Amino acid sequence: MLALAMRLKLTIQYDGTDYHGWQVQAGFATVQGCIESAVASVQGEHARVFGAGRTDAGVHAYGQVAHVDVVKSLPAHTWLRALNANLPRDIRVFDVEEADGEVHARMSARGKHYRYRVWTGRVVSPFHRRYVHHAPHPLDFDAMAHAATLLVGRHDFEAFTVADRETKTTVRDLRRLDLDANGDILDLNAEADGFLRAMVRTLAGTLLAVGDGHMTAEGVARALDSKKRGLAGPTAPAPGLTLVRVDY
Amino acid sequence: MLALAMRLKLTIQYDGTDYHGWQVQAGFATVQGCIESAVASVQGEHARVFGAGRTDAGVHAYGQVAHVDVVKSLPAHTWLRALNANLPRDIRVFDVEEADGEVHARMSARGKHYRYRVWTGRVVSPFHRRYVHHAPHPLDFDAMAHAATLLVGRHDFEAFTVADRETKTTVRDLRRLDLDANGDILDLNAEADGFLRAMVRTLAGTLLAVGDGHMTAEGVARALDSKKRGLAGPTAPAPGLTLVRVDY
């Protein structure tokens, strides 16, 4: 029996704390795995779910986008309800749309916005603890903001990533990298046409190294030019990172 | 050996999701129990911790206040660090002050502010799921706000509590009960000289019953006059409730 497939575009939020990242891995709870299980529960048949960003273990999403070709013909709002009924509460589908068969969550994406959240107060609020990186020492925001301007633009970000055989080029257009301080929270906002593996966390770790005086703006420029991972700052921890939005 | 006691006033935040409430109960994880364990770890001796509000299982605190008489003489900021080092991350001491021996966290309190948070959107955000009650059906905010005005003031709130032999009078001065709607979130803010057991959750459940058309403003006034628990609305679920502030 032949069933006509329908492509769905899903907008998804998740608290990544308890997951080994987006991508399916045998023996581990992953976000993609949970969504594929939910799809299989609804239509009685497995279907691959393609995400726009393969977030790492412990990373969150406010607006992850994924597509999936389903064989059960249900209205979009029924799919939304049925998927959520089969998902744990820390993963929620916020929107389901029927999509053109040409639309690919990752390949059609024109840009992404990630936020790296730092808790700068002395004591981390229990209500924020899962979504922040704690930096209790004073940070020089001006120095960080200046260093950020040196990274914005179309550059080879090889120094800010880890080896990844799936990536053809390490050139990316970093359209935005700025700071937004509000009380005990410091947000680093990064927007680009796409990000390399661990790139946002390395940008964040580098700016934090500037903030606490371990690196200078000149050191950041040198790291970018060198294309050597060893010259950039450390990879900031996963919990501070959230995929905010994917643009099409 | 006689040690001179010092009274500490603690300001505490907690995510109550994984606790059986504030009050120590044998065999259960409670917030008071965790703080008493932390005190004992720091000074090598047990001390009773007195909280301003005995929050129920699953209820949160943004600004709980407690006092404790300790025998180890350390500066307040050292107590703060040492207590947090011995507490789970979902309970944090935000402030420690030396207090007068006459100050009692509960008996000296002049007022309390509780917030009951309702998620009114179709899908509950994973980032809010532990701290809201989901009411996905349309609510008549105007009717709720009007009913709230009938409850404000000095009244006998016997219809809005459960039997509690420790309570001498069920008269309370409800100074504030109002709604604050912001996107998918509806906050009910309640301030009084003190609250009876389950009172905020019963006020919230009653206003929600008005909002979805199960009760009228007249029914709310009748419940208040009757002093009969059966005439008020249901007790709203614990996760939406947060003790915001205690005033002295």
Side-chain angles (χ1 to χ4, degrees):
Chain A
M1 198 178 79
L2 261 176
L4 214 65
M6 171 168 79
R7 181 158 293 190
L8 299 178
K9 180 184 171 207
L10 314 176
T11 307
I12 305 157
Q13 282 191 15
Y14 47 88
D15 173 343
T17 307
D18 298 327
Y19 295 93
H20 285 260
W22 168 263
Q23 197 157 16
V24 165
Q25 281 180 72
F28 291 100
T30 69
V31 179
Q32 185 188 27
C34 285
I35 299 173
E36 291 185 353
S37 292
V39 170
S41 296
V42 176
Q43 69 175 13
E45 195 169 304
H46 182 267
R48 175 103 304 186
V49 172
F50 295 86
R54 281 166 299 175
T55 54
D56 289 334
V59 173
H60 319 287
Y62 183 81
Q64 170 74 287
V65 175
H67 77 264
V68 54
D69 291 327
V70 295
V71 294
K72 188 157 185 169
S73 183
L74 296 169
H77 66 91
T78 305
W79 266 107
L80 180 131
R81 238 193 358 246
L83 289 174
N84 283 327
N86 287 282
L87 282 167
R89 288 178 68 219
D90 50 5
I91 304 176
R92 293 285 96 178
V93 177
F94 260 71
D95 193 52
V96 176
E97 286 173 66
E98 268 194 64
D100 192 287
E102 301 300 299
V103 171
H104 186 289
R106 185 165 57 80
M107 297 201 287
S108 308
R110 301 184 55 188
K112 291 195 187 107
H113 174 188
Y114 276 93
R115 180 191 76 201
Y116 194 85
R117 180 160 281 185
V118 181
W119 186 270
T120 57
R122 180 172 60 164
V123 181
V124 179
S125 165
F127 305 110
H128 292 267
R129 73 189 192 281
R130 297 158 76 97
Y131 316 119
V132 298
H133 165 58
H134 192 201
H137 305 296
L139 294 171
D140 182 340
F141 290 176
D142 289 340
M144 293 171 74
H146 172 60
T149 62
L150 305 177
L151 293 163
V152 171
R154 189 172 192 82
H155 302 292
D156 186 335
F157 285 97
E158 196 170 344
F160 293 83
T161 186
V162 290
D164 181 357
R165 75 185 92 168
E166 287 185 49
T167 307
K168 288 179 202 120
T169 165
T170 48
V171 174
R172 292 291 183 278
D173 185 13
L174 183 62
R175 296 166 190 156
R176 174 187 180 193
L177 181 64
D178 56 32
L179 282 69
D180 181 9
N182 191 358
D184 287 329
I185 287 173
L186 172 68
D187 284 335
L188 308 176
N189 288 292
E191 295 185 32
D193 51 351
F195 288 94
L196 302 163
R197 273 195 65 195
M199 178 171 160
V200 185
R201 288 165 57 194
T202 310
L203 292 169
T206 301
L207 293 184
L208 287 169
V210 170
D212 66 19
H214 281 87
M215 276 185 88
T216 61
E218 294 66 38
V220 173
R222 210 155 44 233
L224 185 64
D225 284 345
S226 75
K227 299 175 197 164
K228 291 192 179 128
R229 177 64 190 85
L231 294 191
T235 308
L241 188 61
T242 299
L243 170 54
V244 175
R245 203 181 65 235
V246 184
D247 294 321
Y248 292 90
Chain B
M1 196 178 79
L2 261 175
L4 214 66
M6 171 169 78
R7 180 158 293 189
L8 299 178
K9 181 184 170 207
L10 315 176
T11 306
I12 305 158
Q13 282 191 15
Y14 48 87
D15 174 344
T17 308
D18 297 329
Y19 295 94
H20 285 261
W22 168 264
Q23 197 158 14
V24 165
Q25 281 180 71
F28 290 100
T30 68
V31 179
Q32 185 188 26
C34 285
I35 298 172
E36 291 185 353
S37 293
V39 170
S41 296
V42 176
Q43 67 175 14
E45 194 169 304
H46 183 265
R48 174 104 304 185
V49 172
F50 295 86
R54 282 167 298 175
T55 54
D56 290 333
V59 172
H60 319 288
Y62 183 80
Q64 170 75 284
V65 175
H67 78 263
V68 56
D69 292 327
V70 295
V71 293
K72 189 157 186 169
S73 182
L74 296 169
H77 65 91
T78 306
W79 267 107
L80 181 130
R81 240 194 354 249
L83 289 173
N84 283 328
N86 287 282
L87 283 167
R89 289 178 68 219
D90 50 5
I91 302 176
R92 292 286 96 178
V93 177
F94 261 70
D95 193 50
V96 176
E97 286 174 65
E98 267 194 65
D100 192 288
E102 301 300 299
V103 171
H104 187 288
R106 184 165 55 81
M107 299 202 286
S108 308
R110 301 182 56 187
K112 292 195 186 108
H113 174 187
Y114 277 93
R115 179 190 76 202
Y116 194 85
R117 182 160 279 185
V118 181
W119 186 271
T120 57
R122 180 172 61 166
V123 180
V124 178
S125 165
F127 304 110
H128 292 267
R129 72 189 192 282
R130 297 158 77 96
Y131 316 117
V132 299
H133 165 57
H134 192 202
H137 305 297
L139 293 171
D140 182 340
F141 291 175
D142 290 340
M144 293 171 74
H146 171 60
T149 62
L150 304 178
L151 292 163
V152 170
R154 190 171 189 82
H155 301 292
D156 185 337
F157 284 98
E158 197 171 342
F160 293 82
T161 185
V162 290
D164 181 356
R165 75 186 92 169
E166 286 185 51
T167 306
K168 289 180 203 120
T169 166
T170 47
V171 173
R172 291 292 183 276
D173 184 14
L174 184 61
R175 296 167 189 155
R176 174 187 181 196
L177 181 63
D178 56 31
L179 283 70
D180 182 10
N182 191 357
D184 286 330
I185 287 173
L186 171 68
D187 283 336
L188 308 176
N189 287 291
E191 294 185 32
D193 51 352
F195 288 95
L196 302 164
R197 274 195 63 196
M199 178 171 159
V200 185
R201 288 164 59 194
T202 310
L203 292 170
T206 301
L207 292 184
L208 287 168
V210 171
D212 65 19
H214 282 85
M215 275 184 88
T216 61
E218 293 68 37
V220 173
R222 209 154 46 230
L224 185 64
D225 285 344
S226 75
K227 300 172 197 164
K228 290 193 179 129
R229 176 67 190 85
L231 294 191
T235 308
L241 187 62
T242 299
L243 169 55
V244 174
R245 202 181 66 235
V246 184
D247 294 323
Y248 292 91

